[in-house]
Amino acid sequence: MKRPILLHPDPRLKKVCASVDDLDDDLRKLADDMLETMYDAPGIGLAAPQVGVLTRLIVLDCVKEEGEEPRPLVMFNPEILAKSDEQSTYDEGCLSIPEQYAEVKRPAEVDVAWLDRDGNPQSETFSGLWATCVQHEIDHLNGKLFIDYLTPIKRQIITRRMQKLKREKARA
Ligand code: GNR
Ligand code: NI
């Protein structure tokens, strides 16, 4: 089941999310709904607070090439264990901030640990778009958006555009 995506500004996108300690079927269903919502958008990642659930759960699939095998990842309680000194810059977007893009510099590689949908611990080193995306998603769990890396002026421009968009949507 697809779920509606919250749009910035929304107080729920600014909260620190709670860890998962009992991985039950409701949470697995939420992960499946998030993957469906992400692919439908389309997007390469989605964090639970973006669908209004303040729990440490993210999903991602950064396989972009048409015809390549998809790789849906579900991560409960994801944690960054190490970051590279090397940085890389991507033009980032966010499904909660539609049609707004800005360059963000982040570590080029990260080691991440998480629990998979069966509650088994996993870890992997991510680079390229995967590294950017997993950091963007983990930021969501800590109430942080990519626009928080921009200058206050740029952030304000984007936030005002979003307020206008939300007003228009509310009237439509
Ligand atoms: O779909 C998305 N694309 C994207 C592009 C560059 C850097 C990060 C992202 S994540 C975004 C989906 C989203 O908002 N996830 O929280
Ligand atoms: Ni996002």
Side-chain angles (χ1 to χ4, degrees):
M1 187 191 76
K2 244 183 74 181
R3 302 201 183 201
I5 297 175
L6 300 183
L7 295 179
H8 168 73
D10 187 299
R12 289 165 288 182
L13 295 173
K14 308 227 68 175
K15 305 279 191 209
V16 176
C17 295
S19 295
V20 171
D21 52 20
D22 180 25
L23 217 176
D24 59 15
D25 284 347
D26 285 351
L27 283 168
R28 277 184 274 270
K29 170 72 163 75
L30 172 62
D32 290 338
D33 286 353
M34 285 169 57
L35 281 168
E36 184 181 343
T37 305
M38 176 190 84
Y39 285 124
D40 179 77
I44 57 172
L46 193 67
Q50 293 182 278
V51 295
V53 180
L54 301 183
T55 296
R56 303 190 81 81
L57 163 61
I58 64 174
V59 299
L60 62 163
D61 184 347
C62 301
V63 174
K64 278 266 227 44
E65 301 320 315
E66 207 60 42
E68 251 185 81
E69 200 59 30
R71 190 181 181 221
L73 282 180
V74 171
M75 300 184 177
F76 294 96
N77 299 341
E79 270 185 67
I80 296 177
L81 304 176
K83 307 171 181 191
S84 63
D85 291 333
E86 189 201 336
Q87 306 262 117
S88 75
T89 302
Y90 268 94
D91 206 23
E92 294 201 17
C94 182
L95 294 172
S96 296
I97 315 175
E99 289 168 42
Q100 308 299 318
Y101 302 89
E103 290 200 336
V104 177
K105 195 190 264 189
R106 301 179 186 268
E109 289 197 346
V110 284
D111 295 342
V112 180
W114 71 93
L115 298 177
D116 68 17
R117 56 184 305 128
D118 302 314
N120 294 319
Q122 304 288 343
S123 68
E124 187 170 326
T125 301
F126 293 97
S127 59
L129 185 57
W130 287 89
T132 290
C133 185
V134 76
Q135 291 176 82
H136 174 118
E137 301 315 332
I138 292 171
D139 273 352
H140 274 298
L141 304 182
N142 295 319
K144 189 158 186 171
L145 302 172
F146 81 89
I147 56 172
D148 294 326
Y149 293 96
L150 309 181
T151 62
I153 292 169
K154 286 187 186 166
R155 184 160 58 245
Q156 194 175 67
I157 289 169
I158 291 177
T159 297
R160 294 215 170 125
R161 279 189 195 138
M162 290 301 302
Q163 285 167 329
K164 180 161 179 278
L165 177 74
K166 288 184 79 172
R167 277 199 306 275
E168 287 166 357
K169 279 194 167 234
R171 281 194 293 115

